[in-house]
Amino acid sequence: MTEPFGAYLHLPYCPYKCHYCDFNAYRLPRAEGARQEMAAAIAEEILRSPGEDLGRTITSIFFGGGTPSVFRPEEIGEILQALRRRYGVARGAEVTLECNPGTVDEGYLRALRRLGVTRLSIGAQSFRAETLARIGRLHTPAQTRQAVRAARAAGFKNVSLDVIYGLPGETPEDARASALEAISLGVEHLSAYALELEEETLFGRLARQGRLPLPPEEEVVRAGDLVAAACEAAGLQRYEISNFARSGRRARHNMLYWHQGSYRGFGPGAHSHLWGRRFWNAAPPGEYLRRVGAAGEAVAGEEVLSARAQMGEWVYLRLRLQEGFTLQSFARRFGLPLDAAYPGVRDSLRATGLLDAVPGRVRPTPDGRWLLHRIAAPFLA
Ligand code: SF4
């Protein structure tokens, strides 16, 4: 079996900037040709990048951003073509593209299908028009429904929706209602994240000034529990803290991240991980374009993880998964028992009720899932 190897493409432009977003995302420049220039630079970066990962076959591709669906099909196609030439893409590879409602129609999605995109991840975020306006999204719930219908008409059989809970002005019941709307569209996968307040965003500033009506923490927890219960009742099984899927529809690219697999990232600010070494590109699009133009690559920093850091990260990432991990798998990976690597840690976490007591397996309890940072801290220290 081919060892999983992923490619992440960061397409940094959006039609607008959402009030909560601190991703490396920028308003689409007005200048005609900005998208073509970016797509061409990413293709060039792929084709000219150093050869340490040559010979690997890509098993999953993820177009993220930004809003990749503001790029034309031929621009997406140019990048895919570069990946095929540089690496080769496995038959049956998962190829996901993130899109926002209001930026796609059936014709556009048909063109993506013809290029080999197999999966869509649609940013619904909420099904309340009022909430969408409050968080700075310019689409409507009707456009989300329309995007899912267009995806089906174009032949997509693997569609995911993103929703956010804990949004300002929303009750747990509102969050549940949004999740139920998403589920009613018959999607194969749902990602549900609690709103995270980031300092350098409009929401971060409003919160500091006390001008953001955020729900209290216990309501956020209740919203998350209601969303999870709605998903599971509808047959979308939780497989990771924030992700739910029908059987056989887990996001393979994200599973690669949670299994600490190797992947290459291309585009402004994209991160790569190759066998314990991480490196990342310059984030501002202008700098990225200049660097790729001059040298064919835009690497701005790197870090080699120590064996101990890899171990801690491995534990943390697997604790995010519903099944956690087995003691056997840890010992197989690192050559020593978990309790020898972290003496006393498992017992003390069990005593506080944060870790399950299933023999041979390590996973958070339902309460522990909300306090993953506390569980992970002694492993990451
Ligand atoms: S669409 Fe996504 S990436 Fe773009 S600004 Fe909004 S949250 Fe950020």
Side-chain angles (χ1 to χ4, degrees):
M1 205 181 85
T2 316
E3 191 194 331
F5 182 68
Y8 172 76
L9 295 313
H10 192 81
L11 307 188
Y13 299 138
C14 290
Y16 49 83
K17 187 84 180 176
C18 304
H19 297 345
Y20 55 90
C21 176
D22 84 331
F23 298 149
N24 187 38
Y26 306 82
R27 261 175 190 266
L28 180 62
R30 281 179 200 279
E32 194 50 44
R35 280 177 320 220
Q36 291 102 306
E37 191 188 5
M38 181 57 69
I42 293 175
E44 188 182 348
E45 188 198 357
I46 293 167
L47 292 171
R48 290 179 61 191
S49 62
E52 60 204 309
D53 51 3
L54 272 184
R56 303 305 303 264
T57 301
I58 291 174
T59 54
S60 66
I61 297 174
F62 195 100
F63 286 89
T67 303
S69 53
V70 300
F71 282 72
R72 296 203 179 96
E74 53 273 27
E75 293 152 359
I76 302 289
E78 183 180 0
I79 295 170
L80 280 171
Q81 191 51 27
L83 288 173
R84 290 189 179 110
R85 275 179 56 196
R86 170 71 163 69
Y87 293 97
V89 176
R91 187 184 287 270
E94 178 189 89
V95 183
T96 303
L97 186 129
E98 281 188 329
C99 57
N100 276 334
T103 62
V104 292
D105 60 17
E106 188 185 324
Y108 178 84
L109 296 176
R110 274 188 191 284
L112 291 185
R113 285 270 302 149
R114 281 195 295 273
L115 290 170
V117 177
T118 63
R119 182 172 182 273
L120 290 179
S121 171
I122 303 174
Q125 314 316 1
S126 170
F127 280 83
R128 286 179 88 221
E130 198 188 321
T131 301
L132 288 171
R134 180 176 284 145
I135 65 176
R137 306 283 297 192
L138 294 189
H139 71 264
T140 62
Q143 284 175 313
T144 303
R145 292 184 201 103
Q146 177 53 32
V148 176
R149 275 198 296 273
R152 295 305 191 204
F156 279 95
K157 297 193 168 46
N158 199 355
V159 177
S160 177
L161 285 177
D162 279 4
V163 292
I164 306 177
Y165 57 89
L167 291 168
E170 276 211 345
T171 65
E173 284 66 30
D174 294 331
R176 176 172 178 270
S178 272
L180 286 173
E181 282 257 16
I183 292 163
S184 74
L185 295 173
V187 291
E188 286 73 30
H189 188 281
L190 193 119
S191 300
Y193 294 95
L195 176 70
E196 289 201 20
L197 266 192
E198 307 292 349
E199 291 266 318
E200 294 309 316
T201 61
L202 177 63
F203 272 8
R205 287 192 290 280
L206 290 175
R208 280 200 298 281
Q209 295 161 6
R211 292 168 55 207
L212 198 64
L214 288 171
E217 200 180 316
E218 59 278 11
E219 282 199 11
V220 178
V221 170
R222 187 168 145 66
D225 287 343
L226 288 177
V227 168
C231 286
E232 287 179 327
L236 286 159
Q237 229 186 30
R238 181 180 237 153
Y239 68 99
E240 192 265 354
I241 287 193
S242 308
N243 286 281
F244 303 82
R246 297 205 182 285
S247 169
R249 294 302 196 186
R250 293 179 177 195
R252 273 154 47 193
H253 188 79
N254 288 348
M255 288 299 284
L256 178 79
Y257 295 151
W258 297 319
H259 281 122
Q260 219 179 32
S262 289
Y263 58 87
R264 271 306 309 264
F266 300 99
H271 283 235
S272 301
H273 172 237
L274 295 179
W275 309 288
R277 183 169 80 89
R278 293 187 188 293
F279 48 100
W280 49 89
N281 281 347
E287 190 185 341
Y288 169 81
L289 291 169
R290 266 194 308 282
R291 285 189 185 223
V292 173
E297 50 102 354
V299 175
E302 79 162 324
E303 156 184 52
V304 178
L305 294 182
S306 67
R308 184 75 181 174
Q310 282 192 49
M311 204 183 266
E313 189 187 73
W314 187 97
V315 170
Y316 166 68
L317 290 170
R318 288 187 192 229
L319 285 171
R320 297 187 61 97
L321 297 172
Q322 183 74 354
E323 63 254 35
F325 62 92
T326 61
L327 293 174
Q328 206 183 19
S329 63
F330 180 92
R332 211 173 31 238
R333 170 71 177 79
F334 295 105
L336 80 171
L338 182 77
D339 294 337
Y342 301 98
V345 169
R346 202 158 57 100
D347 287 343
S348 73
L349 288 170
R350 278 174 162 181
T352 52
L354 297 179
L355 272 190
D356 235 344
V358 189
R361 186 169 286 280
V362 182
R363 68 176 183 212
T365 57
D367 282 348
R369 248 187 247 129
W370 286 105
L371 295 167
L372 199 59
H373 57 286
R374 265 181 55 195
I375 302 180
F379 296 106
L380 294 171

